[in-house]
Amino acid sequence: MLKTFQISLITVLLTGLTCTAGNVHSDEVICGKWISEDKDLIIQVSKDNLEYHAKIVWFDDRDESMQLDDHFDRLNPDPTLRNRKIVGMEVLEKLQYAPNTNTWENGVIYDAKHGRLWNSCAYINSKGELKVKGYWHFKFIGKTLTFKRV
């Protein structure tokens, strides 16, 4: 009788652990630091309530004449934002997890190189790479950036 109880208890505990791990894996696996495929940009993805955001934590612009902190968002269409620093700037916002497709959808990404906002979506491929797509209204009109976990 005791042995049956122990097996039942272990089964219940393991089932609970599996469910918890599954929930964390499904939507929050995107959180953390990611480096671009070209190794010139690191972003930090985080979750705030039900939305995911990313900010720039490091970039390499190959310009040795300036310190990293001396780069500002000079091309922003909003003049009040042109003095904000690139490092620490939020460039991805409003992503929401879609459990039926295991993707993050309905986001907005900011392209600081051109001062433009784009629609955005993201997913993690079978290699564990983060794929972030910026597009204009239709997903087939856009560009995908690839990131690896740091």
Side-chain angles (χ1 to χ4, degrees):
M1 177 75 175
L2 182 60
K3 195 170 198 165
T4 305
F5 173 75
Q6 288 174 331
I7 292 172
S8 296
L9 181 61
I10 290 170
T11 303
V12 168
L13 290 173
L14 289 177
T15 302
L17 289 174
T18 303
C19 291
T20 303
N23 289 339
V24 170
H25 173 74
S26 63
D27 67 337
E28 293 184 10
V29 69
I30 195 173
C31 294
K33 286 186 180 177
W34 299 86
I35 188 166
S36 65
E37 191 172 43
D38 295 334
K39 299 189 182 342
D40 61 354
L41 176 68
I42 296 177
I43 60 171
Q44 172 79 43
V45 179
S46 58
K47 182 179 181 182
D48 183 21
N49 293 322
L50 297 177
E51 294 183 344
Y52 294 83
H53 307 264
K55 66 180 179 178
I56 295 174
V57 294
W58 177 85
F59 72 95
D60 179 9
D61 71 346
R62 311 272 185 221
D63 182 2
E64 295 177 15
S65 66
M66 295 177 73
Q67 296 280 335
L68 200 58
D69 273 348
D70 293 337
H71 290 273
F72 296 93
D73 190 14
R74 302 268 186 236
L75 298 177
N76 196 302
D78 181 348
T80 64
L81 297 176
R82 291 182 185 156
N83 288 325
R84 68 180 176 169
K85 293 181 179 183
I86 298 290
V87 173
M89 180 174 64
E90 192 168 276
V91 290
L92 183 62
E93 60 184 5
K94 300 182 182 178
L95 277 178
Q96 298 172 344
Y97 182 65
N100 57 336
T101 58
N102 199 29
T103 60
W104 292 263
E105 303 289 338
N106 304 316
V108 177
I109 190 166
Y110 177 66
D111 175 6
K113 286 185 179 179
H114 301 99
R116 301 217 33 202
L117 290 171
W118 302 94
N119 299 93
S120 183
C121 61
Y123 68 95
I124 296 178
N125 68 12
S126 61
K127 295 179 185 177
E129 299 169 326
L130 173 62
K131 300 283 192 165
V132 179
K133 183 171 201 146
Y135 60 94
W136 185 71
H137 297 291
F138 304 101
K139 289 183 182 177
F140 62 89
I141 303 173
K143 180 178 179 180
T144 301
L145 301 172
T146 301
F147 294 87
K148 295 182 180 186
R149 191 173 295 279
V150 177

